[in-house]
Amino acid sequence: AYVIENLQELTGGAPAVATMSLGSVYSESSNIMVQSLVGAGVFVAVAAGNSDQDACTTSPASEDSAMTVGATNADDSKALYSNWGGCVDIFAPGTAITSAYPVDAGKQPCDTCTATLGGTSMATPFVAAVAALVREAYPQATTGEVRAYIDAAALTGSVFALDPSALGITDNTDEVDNVEATANKMLSVDAELWGAAKLQLNNAAAAATPECGDDAYTQEDWDVSCPQIGAVVCGARTDEDHVDAQGAPLLRPVRTGTLTCEPPLDPTTGEPTCVCAPSRPSLPVARSCATSELDFTYLPSCGLPSGTIDSVSWLEGKRLTFTPRAGGDTYSVVAEALEFDGSAYVLPHTSYAKGKNYAKKLRKGGAAKVSIPGGKFKAYAPGKKGAGGKVKSFKKFYVGAQGFVALDKVKKSLKPGLESHFHPKRSAGFSVSALYSELDLSKGGDVYVSEEGSKAYVTYSQVPAVAESKVSDYAGQNTVQVEFDLKSHAISVSYKSVVPLLAGRAVVGVALPKSDPAAFIASADFAEYNFESAPNSA
C-alpha cells in the first residue's frame, strides 16, 4: 500500500518496473497486492519458486497480472528446482548466476562483492531488466504492451526437460510432464521486434478499448470433476489448501479450474465490447462439490485404519480385527476384549512357542523373510508405475524387528513413525503395524512364527521398548500376536501386555504405500476411536 500511495514520489512520474524474488503458499491477499501494483502502472516480474511444484499453488507466482518467471540452466534445460505449470509465463537463466552481493566472506557490508547463486530469484531480474529497457525506450508503453513485447520476443520451444536419472537423481521423474505443462518461452531481446514494437507503440490509438470487468469471466476448464453425491471420499472432510471468500477451508471433494475472460459482444456489430486484461485472461478457482458434510461419506483413514498414539496402555487386553472390504484395498476394523484368566490376558494362539523363533536373526533390526505357514494369504497389491492394483496371493511375509509384518519386500529399516508406516521404502506392498515403535530384540525377547488350523501367527514375546540407553523394565514387556486368517483373509492383532512408551509414539494399523500420511487418523483420535459404532469412518 505504501508503494502505491507514494508511487509518484518514489518514481518521479517515470515508468516503473518491480522485481519480486519472493514467494509463499497461495495467498489471495498477496495476489491482490501485486494486482494493485500492476493496476497502478508498474510492470511486475515475480519468481516462480524453487520447489519443483505447480506455481499456481503459490503466491505471488499465481497472480495473472504479474509476469511469472521460471529458471533454466546454461543449456536452456529447465532447472530441476524451478516451479512450473500454467502460471509460469516465461523462463530465464537462473542457475550459476553471478550477481552483486551485499557482504564479503567475513559477513561484512560490501559494495563491490559478488556471489554466484541459483534460483528463480536470479532469473526474475533478467525479465525485469528487459522490461526496464522497453520502458526506457518507450515511456508511453503500458504494462500490457511491455509484456506483449517480451512475449513476442521470447524464443518458443527452446526449453527442454533434463533426464534426472542421467545425473544419478531419483526424484524429479516427471520433468517431461512439467515442461509440457508450462509455456515454453525463453527470454530473448530481438532487434527486429524492438523496431516493430516501437512502430506499433507509436501508431497505437490514443483511446484504448476498455478492459472487461469481472462480469466477463465465466467458469471453464475444470481440472477435476465432482463425484456423485453419496460417494466415498478418502481423507479429511476439509481442504486446507482451498478456502472460501471468508477464508474457511472448503469441504472436500474440491474441483479446481480457471475463470476465463470472454468479452461480451455488441448485439449490433457482433464484436467484443471490451478486451481482456493484457495479462493472461484466466484466474485459478476452486469450488466445493459438497453443500454439507452429509453429501459424501468420509473415510478419514482412507479405508486403511491406522494411527499414532502417545500412550499404548489402552491397547493391553484388546484384539483389533482388520477385515478387507469389497475390492480388497480398504479395511474395516473392530475391537474386542481378550480373555483374562485372573492373572494375565490370554492370546488366541497359546502354543506359539512351538513355532520357529526368529529373534536371533532380528537382533540387529531389519526384517526376516518367512514362508507363510499353512499356505497363502490374499491381500491387495498396489499396481506398478501408476497401474491399478489387485488382490493377489502371497506365499511369504516379512517379519520386522520393529513390530510390523509386510507382505512385500522390506527395502530399508526406517525409524518408526506414521510417515514410515506408509513409506514404500519400508514395504512396497501391504503391511500391518502391530506395535510399530522403538523395540530392541538385542535386549531380549522372542519372535515366533507358527500356525494353528487355517491361521498363521507372528508373535512378539516379551520384546523390550528402548529409548537411547534406557530399556523398559515392565515385567511382561511387549507381547503382541499378529494373526493371518488364510480363509477370510482378515488380520487380527492381540495385545497381551504392552510397555509404556519410552520414546516417540507407536503406530498401529494396516497400510499400503502412500505419500500423504496427513490424511490418516493421528494421535489420541485413534486411541479414543469407537471402532464398532462407526465402521464407515475407519
Side-chain angles (χ1 to χ4, degrees):
Y2 173 83
V3 173
I4 296 172
E5 292 172 1
N6 297 275
L7 191 60
Q8 178 68 28
E9 180 181 347
L10 294 171
T11 65
V17 171
T19 177
M20 302 180 74
S21 293
L22 49 86
S24 67
V25 296
Y26 181 85
S27 166
E28 186 175 358
S29 60
S30 294
N31 286 5
I32 290 174
M33 176 194 69
V34 173
Q35 192 178 91
S36 299
L37 194 59
V38 175
V42 179
F43 177 91
V44 180
V46 301
N50 304 326
S51 302
D52 185 31
Q53 69 181 48
D54 188 344
C56 291
T57 64
T58 67
S59 289
S62 56
E63 172 49 44
D64 289 315
S65 61
M67 190 160 226
T68 301
V69 187
T72 59
N73 301 309
D75 58 356
D76 287 357
S77 60
K78 173 191 167 293
L80 293 178
Y81 55 78
S82 177
N83 286 357
W84 41 267
C87 290
V88 175
D89 301 297
I90 197 165
F91 286 95
T95 301
I97 305 300
T98 300
S99 176
Y101 205 63
V103 295
D104 59 20
K107 305 298 182 183
Q108 298 301 311
C110 179
D111 294 332
T112 59
C113 293
T114 61
T116 300
L117 305 172
T120 55
S121 291
M122 305 305 291
T124 305
F126 280 109
V127 174
V130 173
L133 290 174
V134 176
R135 296 211 117 167
E136 180 184 38
Y138 314 117
Q140 76 277 27
T142 65
T143 55
E145 290 168 333
V146 174
R147 184 183 185 121
Y149 167 76
I150 295 175
D151 274 333
L155 298 178
T156 302
S158 64
V159 180
F160 65 94
L162 282 175
D163 178 5
S165 62
L167 305 175
I169 299 173
T170 56
D171 296 329
N172 307 89
T173 55
D174 49 0
E175 276 297 279
V176 172
D177 292 338
N178 294 345
V179 171
E180 289 180 352
T182 310
N184 198 314
K185 293 186 176 183
M186 184 68 186
L187 181 68
S188 177
V189 180
D190 188 288
E192 292 184 6
L193 277 173
W194 189 270
K198 182 176 181 179
L199 179 63
Q200 181 178 357
L201 291 171
N202 289 339
N203 293 336
T209 305
E211 291 183 2
C212 296
D214 292 339
D215 58 343
Y217 284 84
T218 57
Q219 294 184 15
E220 291 185 345
D221 301 326
W222 291 108
D223 301 325
V224 179
S225 299
C226 287
Q228 290 185 340
I229 297 296
V232 172
V233 176
C234 168
R237 281 178 168 78
T238 56
D239 187 335
E240 303 298 325
D241 293 328
H242 297 100
V243 298
D244 60 21
Q246 287 71 44
L250 294 179
L251 280 172
R252 298 180 63 247
V254 172
R255 65 172 179 171
T256 58
T258 58
L259 285 175
T260 302
C261 176
E262 293 184 358
L265 302 179
D266 185 309
T268 304
T269 65
E271 297 295 323
T273 57
C274 58
V275 294
C276 294
S279 57
R280 225 172 24 258
S282 63
L283 297 169
V285 291
R287 296 284 186 272
S288 174
C289 296
T291 57
S292 78
E293 293 185 359
L294 300 178
D295 287 347
F296 296 96
T297 299
Y298 295 91
L299 291 181
S301 64
C302 299
L304 295 169
S306 299
T308 58
I309 48 180
D310 299 301
S311 172
V312 294
S313 59
W314 71 277
L315 285 171
E316 192 164 283
K318 285 188 174 64
R319 170 185 167 95
L320 306 181
T321 298
F322 303 88
T323 304
R325 294 189 177 96
D329 57 342
T330 66
Y331 284 72
S332 61
V333 60
V334 294
E336 55 189 337
L338 291 177
E339 179 186 345
F340 188 74
D341 66 4
S343 60
Y345 292 103
V346 180
L347 292 173
H349 178 43
T350 57
S351 57
Y352 59 83
K354 293 181 181 180
K356 185 174 180 179
N357 191 351
Y358 286 84
K360 184 177 180 180
K361 189 171 184 179
L362 294 171
R363 295 293 186 214
K364 295 182 179 180
K369 183 179 180 181
V370 182
S371 294
I372 298 176
K376 300 177 182 179
F377 184 79
K378 289 185 177 181
Y380 188 83
K384 297 182 178 180
K385 296 182 178 179
K390 63 180 180 180
V391 174
K392 62 177 289 188
S393 297
F394 293 88
K395 298 179 180 179
K396 300 180 185 296
F397 48 40
Y398 295 77
V399 180
Q402 298 284 14
F404 72 91
V405 182
L407 293 178
D408 207 336
K409 185 177 180 181
V410 173
K411 299 181 179 181
K412 187 177 182 181
S413 293
L414 302 174
K415 184 176 179 62
L418 190 61
E419 290 191 7
S420 57
H421 169 77
F422 297 105
H423 203 295
K425 286 187 177 179
R426 190 188 76 162
S427 173
F430 180 86
S431 65
V432 54
S433 288
L435 189 67
Y436 190 36
S437 58
E438 296 287 357
L439 307 178
D440 191 347
L441 283 160
S442 69
K443 306 297 183 183
D446 299 287
V447 182
Y448 297 99
V449 175
S450 56
E451 65 175 301
E452 185 175 70
S454 61
K455 298 177 180 178
Y457 297 87
V458 176
T459 306
Y460 294 85
S461 177
Q462 297 188 326
V463 181
V466 296
E468 298 179 350
S469 60
K470 188 177 180 181
V471 181
S472 57
D473 57 5
Y474 187 65
Q477 297 291 16
N478 293 295
T479 299
V480 180
Q481 189 170 85
V482 187
E483 172 188 308
F484 293 85
D485 191 321
L486 305 186
K487 287 187 175 180
S488 69
H489 309 297
I491 298 172
S492 298
V493 186
S494 300
Y495 300 89
K496 179 178 180 179
S497 59
V498 183
V499 176
L501 293 176
L502 298 179
R505 297 185 292 179
V507 181
V508 174
V510 295
L512 287 167
K514 297 282 183 179
S515 59
D516 183 17
F520 295 80
I521 302 173
S523 193
D525 293 341
F526 190 74
E528 298 169 2
Y529 192 73
N530 188 333
F531 298 105
E532 294 183 346
S533 66
N536 288 333
S537 298

